[in-house]
Amino acid sequence: MQPISARCRRIAIDLPTFVVDPDEPVRSTIKDRGFTMPDRSAKHAAPQPAGGGSQRAAFVVALICAAQFVLQLDFSIVNVALPSIQRELGMPAAQLQWIVTGYALSFGSLLLAGGRLADLLGRRQVLALGLALFGIASLACGLAQWPIMLIAARIVQGAAGAMASPAALSLLTTTNAEGATRNRALAIWQATTAAGATAGIVAGGLLTQYFGWRAVFLINPPVIAILLALVPRLPAGTRSGGGSLDVRGALLVTTGIAALIFGLSTGQQHGFTAPDTIVALALAVLLTTGFVFAEKRSTAPMLPLSILAEPVRRAAIAAMLLIGAILAGYVYFASLYMQKVLGFSPVATGLALAPSTVTVVLVSTFGTRRLLARFSIKAVLLAGLACIGAGQLWLTQITAGASYPAAVLPGLVLTAAGVGLALPTASIAITSGVRAGDQGLAGALFTTSQQTGAAVGLAILATAAAAATDGHGGSLVDGYRLSFLIGTGLAVLAAIIVAHQLGSTPRRVEPQYRQPGPDGTPNARTAAQLDER
């Protein structure tokens, strides 16, 4: 939901290690103490400034977030058009679901490889390439005459998105220093992501109803053309010097994630005891295990396992996996409930979800960054998870005769408020302290965890809801309530993981993270100086 980049000013110390309290407010660790988890290399440490003052910086953030908006829009815009596509192209149900699954499969599985390519080849270049490929694939989707042509174009769309999204996120982080500036940029990024998802539902209904299903794809190329014309005005950014793509690791992790998403999708459609499902999930486990062993032995790993050494980063990734699962089920089942039980039209459903989007935008843009200036990442992340859990718990009370304002709206708003708190905070935790040359990978790690969580969560929640609905005397509402109850449990589990990972153990900044001064010698400060308020 995807990355972010440079770092705040780093301060080198002449002590062998330096201990930072993970419960300390972000304002203290970043602003007052003037450092984060510094880069391994001073060469890549400094963020690339947007240049040209505040207007220039605002333009850079706006353009990057506009690219993310278009990518996010395509996650949801096609859903409303599926019945029309099926009628016109004569697609059987088994093929129809691949319009959605094919996009998710290529996007989710290629994110890590796309993020690493952005680091190695240049973020602006990879963003431009991804956007151009996305526009061409969108045109092919809109002109498709056969089901296989549409499905193939959607798979290419997903691959293009996997290149553009981490490149955009890492450009955002490398052009905004850690602290208040990056927090604000990431809050806008997350608000844009939420707005794109909801706008896709509304726009998909309007375009399909008045212009036909092809319009949901053909609207992309003109917008992409405008973005491509403006991309050269973005900072070029830095490349990861001397690195190369770990082909073996990229193949293992890409096929492993693809097998996982395929297995979960097949299991949701045909059952988790189906042979195809069992083979795909077993292959996912085998490939992922092979990837871990390969990365440990590689001299230039695609995903350095040391990037997971920080408890705050591990906690944020685990939280994103579980939040992704909750969000996928929450939007999916809330939409089904409003359409199948309350009788809302697709457009009315999109409008009914608009308050949750507004909540995410307001909370993430105006609330989260201010809270992060006063409280720790742990506190803000736990507050977000508490709101998400409360919202999901509220939605477990829905009934067949309930009303939208009383039964649905409070749960939507509470969940959205938690998302507005949790997602920017998690993105900051995952990307902070990662050297500039690895920011594309860090951004991809954030988005991959969310996408993988969404695939796993939707498969589990849909299977559980179907089991409750098909049970003795079960109904659609029974299945939806169960899905929201499981969502509540996932929020509680995420909170437990965050509390445990960010308990009383201090975060250590090892000696190799020390940054030399301008003359190459350590820029030393004493512990007493660093403790000054």
Side-chain angles (χ1 to χ4, degrees):
M1 189 68 267
Q2 275 189 285
I4 312 141
S5 27
R7 268 108 256 279
C8 158
R9 289 182 305 115
R10 286 163 179 114
I11 294 179
I13 52 176
D14 59 356
L15 303 175
T17 59
F18 183 74
V19 179
V20 181
D21 186 353
D23 290 325
E24 187 176 17
V26 172
R27 174 181 58 80
S28 174
T29 56
I30 292 179
K31 181 178 178 181
D32 293 339
R33 298 194 174 191
F35 83 104
T36 58
M37 295 174 287
D39 197 336
R40 292 176 185 268
S41 168
K43 177 181 178 180
H44 300 292
Q48 299 293 315
S54 59
Q55 289 185 346
R56 168 69 171 163
F59 167 80
V60 170
V61 172
L63 180 56
I64 293 172
C65 289
Q68 171 67 6
F69 180 88
V70 173
L71 297 175
Q72 189 63 37
L73 191 77
D74 253 63
F75 275 112
S76 54
I77 196 172
V78 71
N79 291 317
V80 180
L82 290 177
S84 299
I85 295 173
Q86 185 176 26
R87 286 193 302 269
E88 184 170 327
L89 297 184
M91 297 181 70
Q95 286 186 343
L96 187 69
Q97 62 104 10
W98 274 99
I99 296 176
V100 177
T101 303
Y103 185 94
L105 187 68
S106 57
F107 182 82
S109 61
L110 290 170
L111 275 168
L112 286 176
R116 178 46 88 194
L117 282 175
D119 289 333
L120 296 175
L121 303 181
R123 299 178 183 102
R124 188 176 66 185
Q125 293 88 331
V126 173
L127 174 61
L129 179 60
L131 287 175
L133 188 59
F134 192 88
I136 294 171
S138 296
L139 183 63
C141 287
L143 300 178
Q145 301 298 312
W146 311 282
I148 189 64
M149 180 178 177
L150 178 57
I151 292 171
R154 283 289 285 173
I155 291 174
V156 175
Q157 257 193 329
M163 297 172 63
S165 184
L169 184 54
S170 57
L171 270 173
L172 194 71
T173 51
T174 51
T175 54
N176 292 276
E178 288 185 6
T181 302
R182 185 184 292 183
N183 293 353
R184 180 169 53 252
L186 288 176
I188 295 172
W189 169 276
Q190 295 299 341
T192 300
T193 301
T198 302
I201 298 174
V202 178
L206 292 172
L207 291 171
T208 302
Q209 183 173 342
Y210 295 108
F211 300 100
W213 66 267
R214 296 181 186 276
V216 305
F217 300 111
L218 294 178
I219 195 175
N220 286 331
V223 179
I224 295 293
I226 296 173
L227 292 175
L228 285 173
L230 297 173
V231 162
R233 298 178 61 184
L234 291 173
T238 58
R239 301 183 186 184
S240 181
S244 61
L245 182 64
D246 177 13
V247 176
R248 180 177 60 176
L251 288 174
L252 285 171
V253 73
T254 298
T255 52
I257 295 175
L260 174 64
I261 296 174
F262 176 81
L264 291 171
S265 177
T266 304
Q268 182 183 345
Q269 296 290 325
H270 307 293
F272 284 91
T273 58
D276 290 350
T277 303
I278 294 174
V279 171
L281 294 179
L283 187 61
V285 173
L286 182 63
L287 290 169
T288 304
T289 304
F291 170 72
V292 173
F293 280 104
E295 295 302 276
K296 286 183 177 179
R297 299 188 177 195
S298 175
T299 56
M302 193 188 81
L303 177 62
L305 298 182
S306 60
I307 203 171
L308 303 177
E310 285 293 331
V312 67
R313 192 169 294 121
R314 291 199 304 268
I317 291 172
M320 281 309 307
L321 284 166
L322 294 169
I323 292 171
I326 296 169
L327 288 181
Y330 142 77
V331 175
Y332 179 74
F333 289 109
S335 300
L336 288 178
Y337 173 73
M338 286 187 281
Q339 292 184 67
K340 293 191 173 184
V341 179
L342 300 185
F344 285 24
S345 68
V347 175
T349 300
L351 294 174
L353 291 171
S356 61
T357 301
V358 173
T359 301
V360 172
V361 170
L362 293 177
V363 171
S364 61
T365 304
F366 299 106
T368 303
R369 62 188 179 90
R370 288 182 171 85
L371 290 174
L372 285 171
R374 300 186 59 186
F375 302 100
S376 66
I377 283 178
K378 174 184 176 181
V380 178
L381 195 51
L382 287 176
L385 291 169
C387 286
I388 292 173
Q392 294 295 289
L393 187 61
W394 186 287
L395 292 171
T396 62
Q397 306 305 308
I398 58 174
T399 63
S403 66
Y404 166 78
V408 182
L409 183 59
L412 293 179
V413 171
L414 276 171
T415 304
V419 171
L421 289 172
L423 261 62
T425 305
S427 64
I428 291 166
I430 291 174
T431 58
S432 292
V434 179
R435 73 187 191 96
D438 289 334
Q439 279 293 322
L441 179 63
L445 195 60
F446 169 77
T447 309
T448 300
S449 59
Q450 184 178 357
Q451 291 301 316
T452 304
V456 174
L458 188 57
I460 294 173
L461 294 174
T463 302
T469 299
D470 296 337
H472 299 292
S475 65
L476 287 175
V477 175
D478 291 331
Y480 302 156
R481 278 202 299 256
L482 178 59
S483 71
F484 293 130
L485 183 61
I486 296 174
T488 305
L490 293 177
V492 173
L493 177 60
I496 292 173
I497 292 173
V498 169
H500 174 71
Q501 286 290 318
L502 302 182
S504 58
T505 303
R507 186 172 69 224
R508 302 179 69 85
V509 179
E510 300 297 339
Q512 61 264 36
Y513 283 93
R514 290 181 294 173
Q515 180 182 349
D519 59 353
T521 59
N523 183 11
R525 286 193 180 186
T526 65
Q529 288 174 317
L530 291 171
D531 280 332
E532 290 177 358
R533 293 294 187 198

